[in-house]
């Protein structure tokens, strides 16, 4: 039985910092508003791309409050839960719910690589304590814990778990999850350069990264696919692909913040231990973005969401 309502393009928004590395409230207000005005369907704050690991709990809540205020209930706002222990995760869920989160994107416990039994227990405990719906973020490539299709089948009795951000880097997983669980979950692709492939195989959404600099193109791809206009979507996706590859990198935060700075919607400022890109890797991205801007396709009229 399907119990979810989330679908569409959900930017994993970057966290904006001032030159002194404090949160840049004004920049985030502007950027979140631009994303919504460009047609995105939700916001995910304080994720991996949002530099979760270098934010304090109070800062995570501040970023959430900014997004909730800007969204004004026009789109849902999901707080990322990526804490070291199950108890810490539950506590942040409770505080975030009080501060207006519409739901949570939940990772396995960080630092410790849990086994199957421990992973399921972690998600069950959070789901049973949560007052809001949950998207499970599955990224075994980055975090070493794999929530497999049969584990999602086992978790299907937890009504709070409504969605999956599938980032295993294996597009076959979309089919395998659907074969195991039917339409029980809203499946979101979490890998930018697999998004069209995943949506053609049944994913209903895209937790996106390069959307932070190119929201209209990202939204266009999703809406065109939903409406069966696959060739039009493919044309935009092929143009976008070199940039989308920047999401699949240990330095995705620096990559995407550099792209934001080039198109005029952010800065390269990241918190250490990350540092802004230098040398050839920076020059290559600048050249790539300039090429993309020079060949940027005209977007067709789009159907409503």
């Amino acid at each position: 039985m399907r119990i979810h309502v989330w679908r569409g393009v959900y930017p994993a928004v970057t966290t904006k910092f001032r030159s002194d590395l404090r949160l840049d409230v004004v920049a985030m207000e502007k950027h979140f508003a631009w994303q919504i005005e460009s047609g995105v369907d939700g916001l995910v704050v304080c994720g991996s791309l949002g530099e979760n690991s270098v934010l304090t709990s109070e800062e995570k809540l501040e970023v959430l409050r900014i997004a909730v205020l800007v969204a004004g209930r026009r789109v849902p706002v999901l707080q990322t839960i990526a804490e070291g222990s199950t108890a810490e995760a539950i506590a942040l869920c409770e505080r975030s719910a009080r501060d207006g989160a519409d739901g949570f994107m939940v990772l396995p416990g960080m630092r410790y690589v849990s086994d199957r039994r421990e992973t399921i227990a972690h998600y069950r405990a959070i789901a049973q304590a949560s007052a809001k719906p949950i998207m499970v973020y599955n990224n075994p490539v980055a975090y070493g814990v794999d929530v497999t299709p049969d584990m999602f089948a086992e978790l299907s009795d937890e009504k709070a778990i409504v969605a999956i951000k599938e980032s295993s880097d294996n597009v076959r997983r979309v089919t395998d999850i659907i074969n195991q669980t039917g339409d029980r979950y809203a499946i979101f692709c979490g890998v930018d350069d697999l998004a069209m492939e995943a949506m053609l195989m049944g994913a209903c959404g895209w937790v996106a990264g390069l959307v932070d600099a190119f929201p209209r193109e990202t939204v266009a791809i999703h809406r065109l696919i939903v409406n069966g206009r696959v060739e039009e979507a493919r044309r935009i996706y092929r143009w976008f692909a070199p940039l989308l590859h920047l999401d699949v990198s240990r330095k995705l935060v620096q990559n995407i913040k550099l792209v934001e700075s080039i198109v005029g919607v952010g800065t390269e400022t990241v918190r250490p231990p990350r540092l802004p890109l230098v040398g050839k890797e920076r020059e290559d991205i600048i050249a790539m973005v300039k090429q993309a801007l020079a060949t940027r396709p005209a977007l067709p009229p789009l159907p409503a969401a």
Side-chain angles (χ1 to χ4, degrees):
M1 178 182 67
R2 189 174 74 175
I3 57 176
H4 58 77
V5 296
W6 297 336
R7 62 186 302 112
V9 173
Y10 280 49
V13 291
T14 52
T15 301
K16 310 297 188 190
F17 300 116
R18 302 182 344 185
S19 59
D20 62 4
L21 300 182
R22 295 168 61 190
L23 295 180
D24 191 331
V25 174
V26 173
M28 283 188 280
E29 289 173 340
K30 183 178 179 180
H31 194 255
F32 299 166
W34 178 59
Q35 291 286 320
I36 295 169
E37 290 157 7
S38 297
V40 304
D41 301 287
L43 299 175
V44 179
V45 299
C46 303
S48 306
L49 185 51
E51 297 177 72
N52 184 290
S53 63
V54 294
L55 299 175
T56 67
S57 294
E58 293 304 322
E59 288 175 324
K60 293 173 188 178
L61 292 168
E62 184 174 357
V63 174
L64 169 67
R65 289 190 290 266
I66 294 166
V68 168
L69 182 63
V70 171
R73 307 208 68 80
R74 291 177 290 171
V75 300
V77 177
L78 277 58
Q79 172 72 291
T80 300
I81 306 297
E83 310 311 299
S85 72
T86 304
E88 290 172 321
I90 290 170
L92 185 57
C93 284
E94 291 172 344
R95 295 183 70 189
S96 298
R98 289 196 296 269
D99 282 355
D102 296 294
F104 310 111
M105 185 175 78
V106 181
L107 282 74
M110 292 291 95
R111 293 181 289 279
Y112 175 68
V113 179
S114 55
D115 67 16
R116 176 193 174 97
R117 180 174 62 95
E118 293 166 328
T119 302
I120 288 175
H122 173 78
Y123 279 112
R124 284 198 185 281
I126 296 170
Q128 291 167 13
S130 176
K132 300 288 183 177
I134 289 168
M135 173 187 292
V136 171
Y137 180 11
N138 183 44
N139 189 340
V141 177
Y143 302 116
V145 176
D146 192 2
V147 188
T148 59
D150 64 299
M151 292 168 72
F152 282 116
E154 186 171 338
L155 286 165
S156 63
D157 60 336
E158 297 291 351
K159 292 186 177 181
I161 301 176
V162 303
I164 300 164
K165 178 185 175 183
E166 174 51 45
S167 299
S168 66
D169 206 27
N170 178 3
V171 75
R172 302 177 189 87
R173 280 290 180 89
V174 175
T175 298
D176 291 342
I177 292 168
I178 292 171
N179 282 345
Q180 288 265 357
T181 66
D183 66 354
R184 168 61 179 79
Y185 299 103
I187 302 173
F188 283 69
C189 182
V191 181
D192 268 5
D193 58 2
L194 287 178
M196 183 165 179
E197 293 85 346
M199 288 187 284
L200 288 173
M201 297 313 298
C204 69
W206 181 359
V207 177
L210 271 298
V211 66
D212 284 324
F214 293 95
R216 291 182 174 86
E217 287 81 0
T218 310
V219 168
I221 290 167
H222 174 262
R223 291 193 190 172
L224 290 168
I225 292 171
V226 167
N227 285 273
R229 294 161 62 180
V230 173
E231 186 53 44
E232 292 172 276
R234 185 184 291 124
R235 179 176 61 87
I236 302 166
Y237 190 66
R238 285 175 175 166
W239 162 84
F240 210 178
L243 294 174
L244 297 178
H245 295 325
L246 297 175
D247 179 60
V248 188
S249 166
R250 188 183 301 269
K251 294 186 178 181
L252 80 161
V253 176
Q254 295 96 313
N255 292 347
I256 292 173
K257 281 194 163 182
L258 175 56
V259 177
E260 286 183 325
S261 73
I262 295 168
V263 302
V265 296
T267 72
E268 297 178 63
T269 306
V270 291
R271 273 191 179 168
R274 290 184 180 89
L275 295 173
L277 300 177
V278 295
K280 187 176 185 301
E281 61 183 351
R282 184 174 186 274
E283 293 166 4
D284 287 348
I285 291 174
I286 292 171
M288 185 187 304
V289 176
K290 287 182 177 178
Q291 173 66 17
L293 293 173
T295 58
R296 195 173 195 171
L299 299 180
L302 298 177

